[in-house]
Amino acid sequence: MIGKASTADEIVNYLRSLRSEEAIAGMERFGIVTETALGISNPDLRRIGRLTGKDHARAFTLWASGIREARMLALYTLEPKRLSADAAWGLAADFNSWEIVDNAADIFVEAGLVGLIPDFAADEREFVRRTAFAMIAGAAVHLKKEPDATLIAWLDLIEDHAGDARNFVKKAVNWALRNVGKRSHACHAPAVALAQKLSESTDKTARWIGKDAVRELTD
């Protein structure tokens, strides 16, 4: 059995022993990238992470394996407060799945790396750009002490990239807009105003983002 003293190789071998072809097929139906997947659910990976404990260096060795489950476990077992901006960029360069992005985005927010949001948004790679908006969505919920003004300022990024028609970007932009609008009374009005503006756009993607956000934020 694995534990806190287990090496990355021992953990990877344990993960391989849990491989399930049936579970892999099920993951594909949710749009999860399964090229390196072993079919282990995220709740089970979190349980494994509790057994192995946090180990920052080992987490990056797990990430380097390229295995989907090892990478998810790496995110669950690295130490956010030790995560540097350079290391976050190194992880982001490997992103190839909405699932990895959304979990990593929460870690980046916890690590206090929200300053990377504009840079991630400016990056042309689909999953790196998604990271920016997944971070905004997460920050709107989890950063309770962050001034509302910070969230409101990010609305400019949302507007700037509302025309990106790529599936995993547009959904994250929409998610970010909705979460900013739901954060507080102060955030609600400017978010609704932007949503209404986008809903009247001549751009198909921006119009979809706006209409969907208006529907939720005015419900």
Side-chain angles (χ1 to χ4, degrees):
M1 190 58 178
I2 56 170
K4 289 181 171 56
S6 297
T7 66
D9 284 343
E10 289 170 339
I11 293 170
V12 168
N13 287 335
Y14 176 71
L15 294 175
R16 290 186 188 277
S17 75
L18 302 177
R19 183 183 180 94
S20 166
E21 296 299 332
E22 182 179 359
I24 292 172
M27 288 177 173
E28 291 176 348
R29 291 194 290 273
F30 289 95
I32 293 173
V33 175
T34 59
E35 290 176 4
T36 65
L38 301 173
I40 305 170
S41 71
N42 289 343
D44 283 343
L45 289 172
R46 289 187 183 277
R47 178 184 58 78
I48 293 168
R50 289 192 290 273
L51 292 174
T52 62
K54 300 277 188 180
D55 187 317
H56 201 65
R58 185 183 63 195
F60 282 89
T61 304
L62 288 170
W63 183 270
S65 73
I67 297 169
R68 176 249 173 206
E69 281 74 8
R71 286 189 164 178
M72 293 296 291
L73 189 59
L75 295 175
Y76 296 153
T77 60
L78 62 75
E79 298 171 54
K81 298 306 179 186
R82 293 181 59 191
L83 187 66
S84 68
D86 285 344
W89 270 110
L91 296 175
D94 290 333
F95 289 167
N96 66 345
S97 164
W98 66 265
E99 174 198 34
I100 289 286
V101 167
D102 294 358
N103 279 272
D106 283 343
I107 299 298
F108 292 174
V109 169
E110 185 179 352
L113 297 176
V114 295
L116 292 177
I117 287 174
D119 296 326
F120 283 152
D123 196 290
E124 291 295 332
R125 289 170 289 184
E126 181 174 9
F127 289 107
V128 178
R129 182 167 290 171
R130 179 184 174 91
T131 304
F133 297 101
M135 287 178 70
I136 292 173
V141 174
H142 299 299
L143 296 188
K144 306 294 188 184
K145 296 181 180 180
E146 190 71 26
D148 285 337
T150 301
L151 282 296
I152 293 170
W154 286 332
L155 292 174
D156 288 340
L157 283 177
I158 291 172
E159 182 173 7
D160 289 345
H161 296 286
D164 191 327
R166 291 175 294 181
N167 185 52
F168 293 110
V169 175
K170 73 176 184 180
K171 288 186 176 180
V173 172
N174 173 261
W175 179 25
L177 178 55
R178 289 184 287 112
N179 275 18
V180 171
K182 291 186 287 186
R183 174 182 169 89
S184 67
H185 288 298
C187 290
H188 184 261
V192 170
L194 175 56
Q196 290 173 333
K197 179 180 178 181
L198 294 176
S199 72
E200 297 168 0
S201 172
T202 57
D203 182 90
K204 178 181 177 182
T205 301
R207 193 164 60 248
W208 174 82
I209 289 170
K211 286 183 176 180
D212 186 75
V214 166
R215 184 164 48 250
E216 181 162 336
L217 294 177
T218 60
D219 185 355

